[in-house]
């Protein structure tokens, strides 16, 4: 079993839709939970991180962590064409980082 | 002013050649990494250096050799390149537990 599982998509939504991206994990020792956004032919960039269970909001983005279910989510409200990218979840224990395989998202104008 | 810069951006080379990829960060971070991203976008860590010392060395063929002359630089040398080495290689740096800053990647194609 992989440490981190993420549905690769692709996901295609109309502009303005609410997008839900999810990852599950198996290692209860993970401490930080992150979401990265990667545009085509670019490096991943950190979008959000959370440390504990619960929600964290930043503009149109909400990160949610449920440690009891080992499940994390990223919600994008009022999605825009500029949100079209691959979204990777990541989590770590100490120096060991584990990435999901990424979900490809296309927001259609 | 680029935070993590890697060169070259593109590298096309023949099987059996030796090549190097350079990485520099100007963020003052202590830890630097090399990641390999395959065609399915899966990011896999290869090496990690903390203040010039190797701290993570995943199961990577010994044809791959990282070198960190100082904490701002981490280079990757690859000997006897194989077709399966074709991928995008990302350098990254971090100072805290929760966030990397990635370079823009080096797209390596072995023909």
């Amino acid at each position: 079993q992989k440490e981190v599982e993420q549905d690769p998509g692709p996901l295609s939504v109309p502009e303005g839709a609410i997008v839900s991206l999810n990852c599950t994990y198996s290692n209860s020792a993970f401490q930080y939970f992150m979401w990265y956004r990667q545009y085509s032919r670019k490096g991943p960039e950190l979008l959000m991180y959370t440390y504990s269970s619960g929600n964290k909001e930043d503009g149109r983005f909400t990160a949610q962590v449920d440690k009891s279910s080992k499940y994390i989510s990223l919600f994008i409200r009022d999605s825009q064409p500029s949100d079209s990218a691959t979204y990777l979840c990541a989590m770590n224990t100490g120096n060991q980082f584990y990435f999901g395989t990424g979900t490809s998202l296309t927001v259609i104008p | 002013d680029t935070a993590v810069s890697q060169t070259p951006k593109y590298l096309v080379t023949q099987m059996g050649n030796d090549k190097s990829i350079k990485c520099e960060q100007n963020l003052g971070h202590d830890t630097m990494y090399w990641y390999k991203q395959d065609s399915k976008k899966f990011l896999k860590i290869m090496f990690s250096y903390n203040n010039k010392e190797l701290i993570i060395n995943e199961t990577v063929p010994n044809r791959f050799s990282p070198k960190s002359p100082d904490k701002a630089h981490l280079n990757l040398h690859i000997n006897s390149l194989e077709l399966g080495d074709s991928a995008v290689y990302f350098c990254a740096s971090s100072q805290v537990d929760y966030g990397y800053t990635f370079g823009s990647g080096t797209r390596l194609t072995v023909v």
Side-chain angles (χ1 to χ4, degrees), chain B residues 66-105:
Chain B
K67 279 196 172 53
S68 182
D70 55 60
K71 76 171 197 178
H73 295 84
L74 179 62
N75 303 322
L76 183 66
H77 188 75
I78 316 169
N79 288 328
S80 304
L81 277 154
E82 300 176 358
L83 292 176
D85 298 332
S86 296
V88 183
Y89 292 84
F90 284 102
C91 176
S93 72
S94 73
Q95 186 69 1
V96 294
D97 284 342
Y98 54 78
Y100 287 169
T101 302
F102 282 89
S104 55

Side-chain angles (χ1 to χ4, degrees), chain A residues 74-86:
Chain A
L74 178 72
F75 298 98
I76 307 174
R77 287 185 301 282
D78 187 26
S79 55
Q80 302 294 308
S82 58
D83 295 328
S84 298
T86 296

Side-chain angles (χ1 to χ4, degrees), chain A residues 36-46, chain B residues 2-9 21-27 29 32-35 37 43 88-94 100-107:
Chain A
Y36 285 81
R37 178 175 61 196
Q38 185 176 18
Y39 290 114
S40 182
R41 297 188 175 261
K42 299 284 188 186
E45 54 176 333
L46 181 64
Chain B
T2 307
V4 179
S5 59
Q6 40 182 127
T7 54
K9 282 193 187 310
I21 308 172
K22 294 178 187 275
C23 179
E24 176 181 2
Q25 55 101 357
N26 61 7
L27 298 165
H29 289 169
M32 294 185 73
Y33 310 81
W34 278 111
Y35 273 84
Q37 188 171 48
L43 266 170
V88 183
Y89 292 84
F90 284 102
C91 176
S93 72
S94 73
Y100 287 169
T101 302
F102 282 89
S104 55
T106 296
R107 189 170 295 270

